[in-house]
Amino acid sequence: MDLSLILIIVGMLIFIASFFVGNQSKQLEHDVEELSLNFYQETQHLKRRLKAVEEELLMEPQAFAKPQKGSPKQNAKVSINGIHQILISQVLTLHKQGYNFEEISKRSSLSLEQVQAIIAAGGNRL
């Protein structure tokens, strides 16, 4: 009989202790939820920043440049200097892959004249 009484007491102690252990799991669950929300917010912030950078790179540079008079070669120099190096690399890569000027212009969001100037200059800034 002593053994059954000891087992009942131990069972009751374990039952009472389970209430205190349960609070730790709730705190852990709350921490994980907070961490996932922070991760989601940071991801959304990075996506917005990346979108802003992409828009800045794809912005039409001629909207801000003043038209200048001169020979076609000088005009090519002016239009290439206003274009970001990433777009120049993209144009040259598309040209090497066999795309024509119109297709490259559509894919790179540059004008046909800018595409021709980049290919004529070989991507070198003058």
Side-chain angles (χ1 to χ4, degrees):
M1 205 145 5
D2 290 328
L3 181 62
S4 61
L5 184 61
I6 293 173
L7 289 176
I8 291 174
I9 293 173
V10 169
M12 291 175 67
L13 288 174
I14 291 174
F15 180 72
I16 292 171
S18 70
F19 288 110
F20 298 109
V21 174
N23 291 338
Q24 291 177 353
S25 66
K26 288 181 182 180
Q27 179 64 32
L28 180 63
E29 182 179 322
H30 175 72
D31 290 344
V32 168
E33 184 177 329
E34 186 176 324
L35 182 65
S36 71
L37 285 174
N38 286 339
F39 180 71
Y40 176 76
Q41 290 173 346
E42 287 293 322
T43 304
Q44 291 301 316
H45 179 69
L46 286 173
K47 284 181 181 180
R48 283 193 305 267
R49 287 178 59 191
L50 181 61
K51 186 176 180 178
V53 169
E54 287 175 344
E55 288 173 355
E56 185 177 315
L57 288 175
L58 295 177
M59 237 166 41
E60 190 68 34
Q62 287 185 345
F64 302 109
K66 295 179 183 177
Q68 296 182 0
K69 295 180 181 178
S71 69
K73 194 158 191 156
Q74 288 174 337
N75 287 339
K77 291 179 188 177
V78 173
S79 64
I80 290 176
N81 285 335
I83 301 172
H84 197 277
Q85 185 62 38
I86 293 173
L87 287 174
I88 293 173
S89 299
Q90 179 187 18
V91 167
L92 293 174
T93 303
L94 291 172
H95 182 66
K96 287 179 185 175
Q97 292 175 356
Y99 289 96
N100 62 28
F101 293 147
E102 290 82 17
E103 291 172 335
I104 295 172
S105 176
K106 288 178 187 176
R107 290 177 182 254
S108 64
S109 74
L110 296 173
S111 69
L112 186 60
E113 293 79 21
Q114 288 174 319
V115 170
Q116 290 171 344
I118 290 171
I119 293 171
N124 296 326
R125 294 184 186 269
L126 304 171

